[in-house]
Amino acid sequence: MSAGFLDIDCVKYACTCGLLKTLQQLYFCRYCSELRCTFCVSHEVDSHFCGKCCENLPSAEARVKKNRCVNCFICPSCRQELSTRAASKQPANPEESKATKRTYYLSCLCCRWSSRDIGLPDQTAATGSWPKRESIHSNRIQEIVSMYKGLQEKEKLDKEFFKKKQKEKIISYTDKTGITAAALRKRIGLPEDKPILKPKNAVKIVTPSKADENIDDFDEEVLTKSINLLEITSIDQRLLQPDVQPKEISNIFPIQKILSIKRSLRCRRCEHNVSKPEYNPNSIKFKIQLFAYYHIPEVRIVTVEPLRAGQACELILKFTNPTQHQTTVSFLPFDSPIEVKEAIPEEGAISQEDSLEELDKSSLTPSKKKSSSGTKLMSLVDTHITLTTSRSSARALSPRSIAESINCTVDIPSSTFILPPRDDAAEYDDFNEVHNIQDDKKLVVWRKSNKAYIKLVVTPNEDMPIDTTVTTGFTMSHLYTNTIASVADNKKPQKFNHNMRVILKLGKSVGLN
Amino acid sequence: MPLYEVEKSTIVLDIGTAYTKFGFTGEPVPRSIFRTQVKSKGQLRSLLDYQDSQDLYDMLVDFFHDIYFKYALNSPKDKPIVIVESLLCPIIFRESVAKVLFKHYGISSLLLLSSHLVSLATLAVETALVLDVGYKEAVCIPICYGLPMINAWQSLDLGSCSIHRNLQSLLYEKNSGAESLSEWILEDIKVRCCFVTKRSRAEQLSLSKPELGPCPEVKYPVEGNSILRVTGTIREKAYEILFDEDNDHLCLPTMILDALMKVNVDLRNQLAENILLIGGTTMAMGFKSRLKEELLHHMKEERYRKLNIKCFKFHASPSKENYTAWLGGAIYGATDWLNTKALTKDEYFEDNRLPDWSDLKYNTRRP
């Protein structure tokens, strides 16, 4: 998760779902214009590949191969990847052929385990020829599965038969008038009605398991023979091979490597991708990457005066605009409400109202009628309501409250400041620095290209003991320019204020001087 | 196997306190067995060490993330899942699992199966007494003609956890510094060195001066810098906690006998001749023969005279004991039950709750 030196968690942003993450860990959905994090997006498997040989497998093929690579193995002793080693074998009879035969075995470069340790014969081909093992019980289990499948099928047929029989019991009108159904069918020219047959019992019943009275799972040898720990497998080594779970180290077997996947992330609300990798396992690039780092102004702590309980101190923050559009940043108190766009689409809201009306109607119905079928009616209405709401709000995850307590107040400045757009060329241009920006000198200390240094005054709480971590926060509001709509409809880029909470960890409080 | 058949396979999970068994329906062996642990806030934590429901929810999200994207390599959305659970699973845990799966991962349906009941599917029998000795507790439930006899269930907090505690105190007597051994080292010592001894030896060992030669000692290296002396007595006595009667005169064998006492007289013999042991702890060497010895011994006691059982017979499932319940789930999940009996998304969202056998709302006979 960590993104190296940039990812210092002094400054955290509150994601729309309420979790605190650093800017590098966040995504920004351009369609909903909301922050997203790995917790509140839905993950999808994009492509399968082997982490060792980088072979790309289509998902259907991966499934057939049980999500394991055919060619790569891991060490059954230490789980590291095994490497294929070549050995040249001199032919037994030198006159027979002059060419030396190459054979291959698997060896672990980490723990020196090799496939020769367990007596596995060397293979003549480097890949694909290692013997595979099947569970000894698989036939029996297959039989049991097909028996249960058959039983359930039979149960279903029996039920249908019963239903048909019930239907037959009802005397039809034609029967009363003397014309039997069979005669009528004949007259119309329909084929003769076949009597319903009871479905045949074709399930092959497996011989049930026989319980045994004699158990012999105690080995007398254990009482006298001393054991060598190096010859006994640990529980992790046993569980690597669930079917055998070998007790001795001589029975372990190379294990096929499990495939890895590439994931794409999708916003839960609008179902647009926020991150999509390229298909090729060798490529580390993305097709789609909506990282918040490219859209949201970055806040960094520059300096902070010593923090003393109850005393105001100066805090300088650096704001950087990563976008190609000029933005205006203003401050709001930390607990100012942030409007989250309604998760419920309008249709849902309307149908909910409808169902509420229905509920009213049902309560208006005469009590006599209600007493007979009241409960049923109510429950029907209930389900209707829950169904309509469940489609939208109930199934969506509700945001949680922010799990961080603020023990330091910020004097929220009333003025705003402008951040110019990012200009990559400006980095190389030291002299031509012209600002035509009228700044509030109290707020902006200094600025350069797309960065601004902002002075804030913070006051730690009065009752704070020495050496507690001082946490402060504010709501940052910045003008966001959405270019998505302009591309689609040839309109001007939409501009609106985007608010988010920022939490700063300023360090430990100190005593009075 | 043709492609379309593989397409249908569904994830089967048996989330145990110590180990989680993971695989797909219709397969004879789980794909992997791994510790029920989650990396949360920078440290490995057991899934069942949760503080509150929010904490559990977050851990479960991470846990299922690992399952879907590390082991199953499958997108969870709109797919069914089978989970094998104990009848005594805490409600908060079940509810959280359902919430995570339906709300966070958007699965299409969830089939919850009782571990004791489905274990019988591996044997193709209908009546058996199932004893599950896992990590935290031992639970015994008789199953008669496919119906769990809930009134006869027995449970004790005997399992790997209590064996580890016992082993730790035994080691502490002989070695200083044994009190700080981690759970996993204790487990490793137990698995590699300890075994269940015979009844005659156990009786001698419990005396102050046993008249028998102890089995060989094992020198167990810890973290490369110290050596633990695992004496022969420790090796034999580690499992004794399962067979020592506690203050209420209860132990593992009495659980089976007590359960038999509570079922109908006509079923007792049939159940005693169909005992199935599941759970990883029952895989210890000598466990089954000792349990049989103990059962026969306890039968002589006055309180069980009424039982009138002559012999006890044990089943061997076509699996290792630690994944028998999982295998049962895999067999059930391969049948039509997955479509007919599973809880679907719409049913779950009707009242955001999981049907529970202990809840009369779901557990009444409908006319």
Side-chain angles (χ1 to χ4, degrees):
Chain A
M1 269 288 176
S2 160
F5 72 97
L6 288 173
D7 195 26
I8 303 159
D9 61 351
C10 292
V11 182
K12 283 190 170 177
Y13 292 67
C15 175
T16 319
C17 67
L19 285 176
L20 293 176
K21 297 272 166 99
T22 60
L23 189 61
Q24 285 77 16
Q25 293 170 342
L26 286 166
Y27 301 92
F28 184 78
C29 178
R30 287 201 292 178
Y31 302 89
C32 320
S33 300
E34 295 283 5
L35 286 175
R36 301 271 179 248
C37 66
T38 44
F39 188 84
C40 58
V41 292
S42 69
H43 299 240
E44 279 163 26
V45 175
D46 228 35
S47 60
H48 297 72
F49 66 97
C50 170
K52 194 185 173 215
C53 61
C54 281
E55 198 196 337
N56 211 341
L57 288 133
S59 61
E61 200 186 331
R63 229 172 261 157
V64 175
K65 289 182 174 159
K66 301 196 165 186
N67 289 335
R68 282 172 195 276
C69 181
V70 191
N71 301 328
C72 302
F73 290 88
I74 61 164
C75 175
S77 177
C78 68
R79 293 178 183 224
Q80 294 296 316
E81 280 156 8
L82 289 172
S83 45
T84 314
R85 311 293 300 268
S88 48
K89 203 164 117 191
Q90 295 292 328
N93 191 356
E95 282 124 53
E96 216 166 75
S97 67
K98 275 189 184 144
T100 50
K101 217 174 154 192
R102 286 185 84 79
T103 55
Y104 299 89
Y105 65 98
L106 298 168
S107 155
C108 177
L109 297 180
C110 181
C111 70
R112 317 296 293 170
W113 182 87
S114 92
S115 60
R116 289 173 167 178
D117 290 0
I118 53 165
L120 206 65
D122 288 3
Q123 301 295 310
T124 47
T127 53
S129 59
W130 295 101
K132 281 184 187 128
R133 294 194 298 182
E134 277 275 312
S135 167
I136 43 167
H137 300 297
S138 59
N139 279 341
R140 162 89 179 160
I141 288 160
Q142 213 49 53
E143 273 175 21
I144 293 174
V145 168
S146 48
M147 177 186 86
Y148 280 104
K149 269 185 186 165
L151 283 176
Q152 257 154 30
E153 198 66 24
K154 188 177 164 277
E155 202 173 278
K156 222 175 171 181
L157 286 174
D158 281 353
K159 240 182 214 168
E160 268 167 33
F161 170 73
F162 184 72
K163 259 187 203 163
K164 267 189 194 165
K165 228 180 168 185
Q166 288 273 312
K167 261 188 205 164
E168 261 196 357
K169 274 185 189 162
I170 305 163
I171 305 159
S172 75
Y173 182 69
T174 49
D175 286 350
K176 267 190 180 170
T177 50
I179 314 162
T180 59
L184 203 64
R185 284 182 84 90
K186 221 176 187 176
R187 195 184 277 176
I188 298 166
L190 280 173
E192 216 160 288
D193 201 6
K194 280 178 197 153
I196 306 156
L197 292 170
K198 202 169 171 14
K200 273 180 217 159
N201 183 4
V203 184
K204 194 185 157 203
I205 299 292
V206 180
T207 45
S209 159
K210 267 263 156 45
D212 201 356
E213 199 185 348
N214 302 314
I215 320 150
D216 189 26
D217 63 343
F218 189 79
D219 188 4
E220 293 281 348
E221 236 181 23
V222 82
L223 297 174
T224 50
K225 207 175 146 195
S226 64
I227 55 169
N228 182 0
L229 276 182
L230 294 174
E231 284 170 5
I232 303 169
T233 51
S234 72
I235 189 140
D236 284 330
Q237 290 168 342
R238 288 179 200 190
L239 295 180
L240 266 181
Q241 298 169 58
D243 53 336
V244 192
Q245 301 189 18
K247 285 198 169 67
E248 286 96 34
I249 211 98
S250 55
N251 286 338
I252 57 176
F253 202 79
I255 294 148
Q256 284 178 296
K257 189 173 169 59
I258 297 183
L259 296 175
S260 311
I261 48 152
K262 284 195 165 193
R263 266 176 298 146
S264 61
L265 310 179
R266 201 180 281 280
C267 172
R268 278 174 202 266
R269 169 107 59 81
C270 64
E271 306 220 319
H272 282 99
N273 272 316
V274 293
S275 164
K276 194 173 175 62
E278 277 189 3
Y279 192 67
N280 185 1
N282 289 319
S283 168
I284 53 162
K285 288 179 184 161
F286 290 90
K287 280 183 195 153
I288 299 167
Q289 47 174 356
L290 300 177
F291 300 142
Y293 189 69
Y294 297 128
H295 298 275
I296 307 292
E298 189 195 8
V299 181
R300 288 203 200 183
I301 301 171
V302 180
T303 57
V304 59
E305 282 185 344
L307 298 152
R308 296 193 176 86
Q311 283 186 20
C313 64
E314 198 175 75
L315 166 73
I316 296 184
L317 299 175
K318 181 174 100 172
F319 284 76
T320 315
N321 181 11
T323 62
Q324 304 283 349
H325 307 276
Q326 179 172 298
T327 179
T328 314
V329 179
S330 57
F331 296 98
L332 297 166
F334 179 71
D335 40 6
S336 59
I338 291 179
E339 50 168 303
V340 177
K341 270 166 223 132
E342 272 303 302
I344 307 162
E346 275 182 30
E347 287 170 51
I350 290 163
S351 57
Q352 201 183 337
E353 270 171 33
D354 282 354
S355 58
L356 278 172
E357 261 172 44
E358 219 171 280
L359 185 77
D360 284 347
K361 272 181 205 159
S362 69
S363 59
L364 286 172
T365 46
S367 57
K368 196 178 159 191
K369 196 182 167 189
K370 224 177 144 186
S371 60
S372 59
S373 63
T375 48
K376 205 174 178 188
L377 202 76
M378 285 299 284
S379 67
L380 269 176
V381 171
D382 267 355
T383 53
H384 187 187
I385 287 177
T386 46
L387 271 180
T388 49
T389 50
S390 67
R391 225 171 281 140
S392 47
S393 64
R395 290 185 190 193
L397 298 153
S398 51
R400 61 180 80 186
S401 55
I402 292 166
E404 190 79 61
S405 58
I406 301 294
N407 55 10
C408 179
T409 53
V410 185
D411 295 343
I412 301 296
S414 52
S415 51
T416 62
F417 64 95
I418 291 171
L419 281 177
R422 183 170 65 98
D423 182 6
D424 290 332
E427 297 280 317
Y428 308 103
D429 198 356
D430 281 343
F431 308 105
N432 193 16
E433 186 87 14
V434 189
H435 303 298
N436 297 322
I437 302 164
Q438 296 295 317
D439 276 330
D440 179 357
K441 288 285 177 228
K442 272 183 193 160
L443 184 66
V444 181
V445 185
W446 185 64
R447 69 161 66 237
K448 189 189 177 185
S449 63
N450 61 336
K451 306 183 220 11
Y453 292 75
I454 305 299
K455 186 166 79 181
L456 291 174
V457 176
V458 293
T459 318
N461 286 357
E462 285 278 358
D463 51 351
M464 185 191 292
I466 292 170
D467 220 29
T468 46
T469 308
V470 179
T471 315
T472 189
F474 52 84
T475 303
M476 179 172 76
S477 171
H478 73 112
L479 193 70
Y480 181 70
T481 314
N482 198 345
T483 52
I484 289 285
S486 63
V487 174
D489 313 334
N490 281 329
K491 274 190 281 181
K492 266 193 168 180
Q494 270 187 328
K495 288 195 178 194
F496 54 87
N497 272 325
H498 179 251
N499 297 356
M500 83 210 77
R501 293 197 173 101
V502 180
I503 286 183
L504 307 165
K505 278 199 178 135
L506 298 177
K508 299 274 165 78
S509 61
V510 292
L512 298 167
N513 51 348
Chain B
M1 213 186 293
L3 270 178
Y4 62 88
E5 218 168 276
V6 183
E7 198 76 29
K8 278 185 189 162
S9 59
T10 303
I11 296 176
V12 184
L13 268 188
D14 178 5
I15 306 172
T17 322
Y19 289 97
T20 296
K21 280 69 79 179
F22 155 82
F24 287 96
T25 53
E27 290 186 4
V29 186
R31 292 276 179 93
S32 36
I33 301 177
F34 45 90
R35 284 181 189 148
T36 313
Q37 278 179 332
V38 194
K39 202 167 189 188
S40 123
K41 287 160 200 150
Q43 53 176 350
L44 270 179
R45 286 169 67 196
S46 169
L47 194 61
L48 286 115
D49 284 347
Y50 51 87
Q51 286 148 2
D52 49 25
S53 58
Q54 182 68 60
D55 188 35
L56 177 64
Y57 181 87
D58 288 352
M59 283 209 285
L60 279 170
V61 167
D62 289 342
F63 180 71
F64 280 107
H65 186 95
D66 275 0
I67 285 177
Y68 278 112
F69 299 111
K70 236 168 106 182
Y71 298 101
L73 310 186
N74 232 329
S75 297
K77 204 156 190 226
D78 298 324
K79 300 220 172 74
I81 184 170
V82 181
I83 290 185
V84 181
E85 52 152 23
S86 166
L87 275 180
L88 306 178
C89 187
I91 288 172
I92 176 174
F93 189 81
R94 306 179 75 229
E95 291 284 348
S96 301
V97 166
K99 196 175 156 196
V100 166
L101 287 171
F102 280 115
K103 283 201 170 177
H104 197 98
Y105 287 106
I107 58 159
S108 65
S109 59
L110 168 67
L111 179 62
L112 282 169
L113 297 165
S114 147
S115 60
H116 287 82
L117 179 62
V118 295
S119 298
L120 292 198
T122 63
L123 306 173
V125 297
E126 279 184 323
T127 304
L129 187 123
V130 185
L131 174 66
D132 178 2
V133 192
Y135 180 77
K136 203 146 202 166
E137 57 183 2
V139 181
C140 174
I141 299 174
I143 310 237
C144 302
Y145 300 103
L147 285 175
M149 301 277 112
I150 309 268
N151 60 324
W153 71 274
Q154 303 286 322
S155 106
L156 280 178
D157 59 344
L158 292 174
S160 291
C161 190
S162 51
I163 296 167
H164 294 170
R165 292 288 80 73
N166 185 33
L167 181 61
Q168 191 171 25
S169 59
L170 286 170
L171 283 170
Y172 185 54
E173 287 170 19
K174 292 274 187 291
N175 304 272
S176 57
E179 72 270 31
S180 61
L181 289 175
S182 76
E183 193 71 12
W184 304 118
I185 293 182
L186 285 171
E187 184 181 24
D188 198 46
I189 297 175
K190 177 193 79 175
V191 167
R192 290 164 86 175
C193 311
C194 303
F195 58 93
V196 186
T197 190
K198 285 176 174 170
R199 199 186 140 68
S200 54
R201 282 182 71 88
E203 270 175 350
Q204 279 293 316
L205 283 171
S206 59
L207 301 175
S208 53
K209 275 184 189 158
E211 292 171 6
L212 43 80
C215 65
E217 185 179 295
V218 178
K219 288 201 162 61
Y220 185 89
V222 185
E223 286 164 359
N225 53 18
S226 58
I227 283 189
L228 270 181
R229 279 182 59 218
V230 187
T231 61
T233 335
I234 295 177
R235 290 177 61 196
E236 284 183 66
K237 277 173 90 171
Y239 279 97
E240 286 314 301
I241 186 121
L242 299 180
F243 303 102
D244 288 340
E245 285 185 21
D246 64 7
N247 292 340
D248 298 325
H249 297 287
L250 296 175
C251 59
L252 218 51
T254 64
M255 276 170 68
I256 293 183
L257 298 175
D258 285 335
L260 287 175
M261 292 283 280
K262 284 194 178 166
V263 296
N264 196 306
V265 186
D266 305 326
L267 286 166
R268 283 178 188 165
N269 262 310
Q270 202 183 344
L271 284 171
E273 287 175 14
N274 287 286
I275 297 175
L276 174 64
L277 301 173
I278 60 172
T281 308
T282 63
M283 290 170 79
M285 194 183 92
F287 182 91
K288 285 179 193 162
S289 48
R290 176 66 187 278
L291 184 65
K292 199 187 135 196
E293 267 187 286
E294 290 283 338
L295 281 171
L296 291 171
H297 171 78
H298 283 286
M299 279 302 291
K300 292 173 197 148
E301 284 174 27
E302 187 57 45
R303 53 178 165 161
Y304 299 121
R305 192 134 296 169
K306 276 202 298 192
L307 271 177
N308 197 21
I309 289 169
K310 276 158 212 86
C311 72
F312 293 94
K313 287 184 183 173
F314 293 87
H315 275 288
S317 66
S319 61
K320 298 280 173 192
E321 286 82 352
N322 57 355
Y323 68 84
T324 306
W326 175 89
L327 182 62
I331 291 173
Y332 269 70
T335 64
D336 206 35
W337 269 52
L338 192 60
N339 306 320
T340 52
K341 302 271 168 157
L343 178 78
T344 62
K345 202 156 122 185
D346 293 327
E347 281 163 358
Y348 176 75
F349 283 113
E350 258 174 42
D351 51 2
N352 279 316
R353 286 197 60 195
L354 210 58
D356 189 3
W357 64 268
S358 61
D359 192 337
L360 282 179
K361 187 181 170 192
Y362 304 101
N363 201 14
T364 45
R365 226 180 258 176
R366 296 246 166 82

